[in-house]
Amino acid sequence: MSIQAKVVTVGLGYIGLPTSALIANSGIKVHGVDISQHVVDTINAGKIHIVEPELDKVVAEAVSRGFLKAATKPVGADTYLVVVPTPFKGDHQPDISYVQAATDGIIPLLKEGDLYIIESTSPVGTTEKMMELIFTKRPELKDKIYLAYCPERVLPGNVMYELVHNDRVIGGVNEGSTQKALAFYSQFVKGELHPTNARTAEMCKLTENSSRDVQIAFANELSLICDKAGINVWDLVRLANKHPRVNILQPGCGVGGHCIAVDPYFITADFPMESRIIAQARSTNNYKPFWCAEKVKTARLEFELKHGRQPSIAIMGLAFKPNIDDLRESPAIHIAERVLQDSGDAAMYIVEPNVHEHKIFKLTDYKEAIEKADIIVFLVAHNEFKTLDISTDKTVLDFCGVTIKK
Ligand SMILES: NC(=O)c1ccc[n+]([C@@H]2O[C@H](COP(=O)([O-])OP(=O)(O)OC[C@H]3O[C@@H](n4cnc5c(N)ncnc54)[C@H](O)[C@@H]3O)[C@@H](O)[C@H]2O)c1
């Protein structure tokens, strides 16, 4: 079915697909673009390739009504949204090559009056760089198109609600662009829309995630101190939070995902002298998985000394946070890899209830793993793990507080 698209979205992943479906279901025709043929075919069949509550229904509706169509190439439209990945390169330098590739694909299609928006998390100045790229190739469009940056701040697992209800920060390269982008988002966002300029909007996204990273690093640092001091960190945090102006986050096995573990580097790469706390938080959170793996090693050696045999070990959870299937940058994966390397012939049961299969790990059902393992290592506080009945003869290492009765 061919549609006259009003909006082209480039990148149909965790953010691009829900956004495309939401816009489509508000009655605007959307042409979604992805370089993956599998992604395109799945969406055009009215199905989804990622786990996100409610998304399947919203995509099926958008496709069946003819308001969302996916393809590997963009078409001409009025508004273009860039929602491609922005990872970092080996040395923690931001990699904006995907944004550039997506923009390159759009440039020949742009016409006077069009709106170009980057939603991908980006280093400060990226929108201006893309503007220069566009005007170098299409100088006749200078001052004739609108360019803006609008970061996404949804929580995986609650994306369909938050896309509509979260406040958004929208920054154009000039006032006209900001206003044009505000008008666009006001068609489907119910949260408040906050106008600013492109650089502030870019920095705002990086600041939000760096702030989370610093707060988690504080909790993780406390967990290391408490372990040495013989204090239960979960009790400590609960009690400290009884102070009316203290709100410490929960420690975990590290920080993962596509955002919090990545975005602070977009600041430290460009402002190395000024971003000391942000850099230290990254390093504290990166250290935590190594520390957890060492703790598992110690527990394994103690078991061997006591029982004269190797223990079997259950690794509970691989995702970067509870109740999702997203394994990107997950500290639990690093811990599982290290424990596997260390554990020789010992039986290992690796559990991730939200994933059916994994290319490296053989996955085990969580109940079977709990039953068979001598040492149970909780890395992710998935709901399935909250009500388990664990026999008292097992060694339990809980790095995510899932066994703590609140
Ligand atoms: N996932 C989140 O929770 C979240 C939250 C806020 C912001 N973000 C940001 O949003 C952006 C997208 O993240 P995501 O999680 O949706 O990524 P993703 O990896 O889930 O999806 C990106 C999609 O873009 C496609 N792609 C890559 N290059 C392309 C190109 N040149 N043309 C067309 N398609 C291309 C990929 O095949 C993939 O399907 C990133 O900058 C990320 O930091 C993500």
Side-chain angles (χ1 to χ4, degrees):
M1 190 187 336
S2 115
I3 56 173
Q4 184 59 47
K6 285 275 172 211
V7 174
V8 161
T9 49
V10 188
L12 295 172
Y14 284 93
I15 300 300
L17 179 57
T19 303
S20 305
L22 175 72
I23 299 171
N25 283 343
S26 73
I28 302 168
K29 292 207 166 172
V30 179
H31 178 94
V33 180
D34 203 287
I35 44 171
S36 160
Q37 189 65 50
H38 166 70
V39 168
V40 166
D41 293 343
T42 307
I43 294 166
N44 283 336
K47 302 207 168 81
I48 59 174
H49 61 291
I50 48 181
V51 172
E52 178 58 43
E54 303 295 316
L55 181 62
D56 51 350
K57 282 184 235 146
V58 182
V59 168
E61 186 188 337
V63 172
S64 72
R65 287 175 61 211
F67 277 82
L68 173 62
K69 183 174 163 46
T72 54
K73 294 271 178 284
V75 294
D78 301 334
T79 300
Y80 298 85
L81 285 186
V82 175
V83 205
V84 292
T86 40
F88 56 72
K89 300 178 211 158
D91 52 354
H92 292 146
Q93 294 297 312
D95 177 2
I96 59 164
S97 61
Y98 296 82
V99 173
Q100 190 160 334
T103 306
D104 276 332
I106 293 169
I107 288 174
L109 301 164
L110 287 170
K111 61 182 186 316
E112 195 175 327
D114 282 353
L115 172 62
Y116 162 96
I117 300 171
I118 303 177
E119 285 204 358
S120 299
T121 304
S122 302
V124 173
T126 303
T127 312
E128 288 167 355
K129 264 193 197 144
M130 292 307 116
M131 176 173 75
E132 278 165 31
L133 182 76
I134 293 169
F135 293 154
T136 304
K137 293 191 176 168
R138 300 283 309 276
E140 78 281 8
L141 290 177
K142 202 152 191 249
D143 298 329
K144 304 232 166 81
I145 60 166
Y146 304 95
L147 303 108
Y149 181 77
C150 179
E152 188 45 72
R153 40 162 68 140
V154 291
L155 180 74
N158 197 29
V159 169
M160 293 324 299
Y161 178 84
E162 294 204 1
L163 267 182
V164 177
H165 294 94
N166 283 356
D167 283 13
R168 305 280 302 239
V169 171
I170 299 172
V173 294
N174 50 38
E175 186 51 26
S177 294
T178 306
Q179 291 309 323
K180 183 93 173 169
L182 281 172
F184 172 69
Y185 283 101
S186 68
Q187 298 174 97
F188 52 91
V189 174
K190 292 191 180 139
E192 212 175 311
L193 304 177
H194 302 274
T196 181
N197 57 51
R199 291 175 79 83
T200 307
E202 288 161 346
M203 186 62 184
C204 188
K205 172 69 190 175
L206 304 182
T207 300
E208 289 160 17
N209 282 339
S210 299
S211 159
R212 300 279 299 162
D213 201 40
V214 169
Q215 289 175 58
I216 297 167
F218 182 67
N220 279 336
E221 185 165 295
L222 285 177
S223 73
L224 306 185
I225 296 168
C226 286
D227 185 70
K228 221 169 206 176
I231 295 167
N232 181 314
V233 69
W234 315 100
D235 266 350
L236 173 82
V237 169
R238 182 177 58 80
L239 293 170
N241 284 346
K242 298 290 176 199
H243 185 293
R245 286 166 295 282
V246 170
N247 188 12
I248 303 168
L249 299 183
Q250 303 294 306
C253 69
V255 169
H258 206 219
C259 293
I260 299 180
V262 176
D263 303 350
Y265 291 120
F266 291 11
I267 298 179
T268 57
D270 288 341
F271 308 96
M273 296 309 289
E274 295 80 9
S275 56
R276 306 283 174 90
I277 294 177
I278 297 171
Q280 181 56 48
R282 277 287 67 237
S283 139
T284 301
N285 288 332
N286 282 344
Y287 171 65
K288 190 72 192 284
F290 290 93
W291 184 87
C292 295
E294 282 304 303
K295 284 277 161 195
V296 178
K297 193 175 180 176
T298 307
R300 183 173 59 77
L301 294 173
E302 283 173 359
F303 185 98
E304 271 179 43
L305 277 177
K306 191 169 167 197
H307 298 275
R309 68 172 173 87
Q310 288 205 334
S312 50
I313 302 173
I315 296 288
M316 306 296 288
L318 292 178
F320 81 81
K321 56 185 256 181
N323 309 320
I324 56 166
D325 71 333
D326 195 338
L327 309 185
R328 291 177 296 179
E329 308 294 326
S330 177
I333 298 264
H334 296 296
I335 297 168
E337 282 169 353
R338 280 186 84 90
V339 174
L340 255 181
Q341 277 163 14
D342 283 347
S343 56
D345 297 332
M348 290 270 299
Y349 304 105
I350 301 196
V351 172
E352 179 38 75
N354 299 296
V355 172
H356 296 304
E357 57 182 0
H358 189 270
K359 58 182 186 306
I360 300 173
F361 304 121
K362 178 178 176 295
L363 299 178
T364 303
D365 172 71
Y366 67 96
K367 286 187 182 143
E368 185 187 338
I370 291 287
E371 178 93 19
K372 289 187 173 163
D374 300 305
I375 298 176
I376 301 168
V377 183
F378 286 104
L379 297 179
V380 190
H382 288 314
N383 284 340
E384 289 87 343
F385 304 162
K386 285 185 179 158
T387 49
L388 290 173
D389 205 6
I390 301 170
S391 142
T392 48
D393 61 343
K394 313 263 182 188
T395 303
V396 175
L397 298 178
D398 182 358
F399 295 119
C400 56
V402 72
T403 60
I404 305 297
K405 300 282 171 264
K406 302 226 162 74

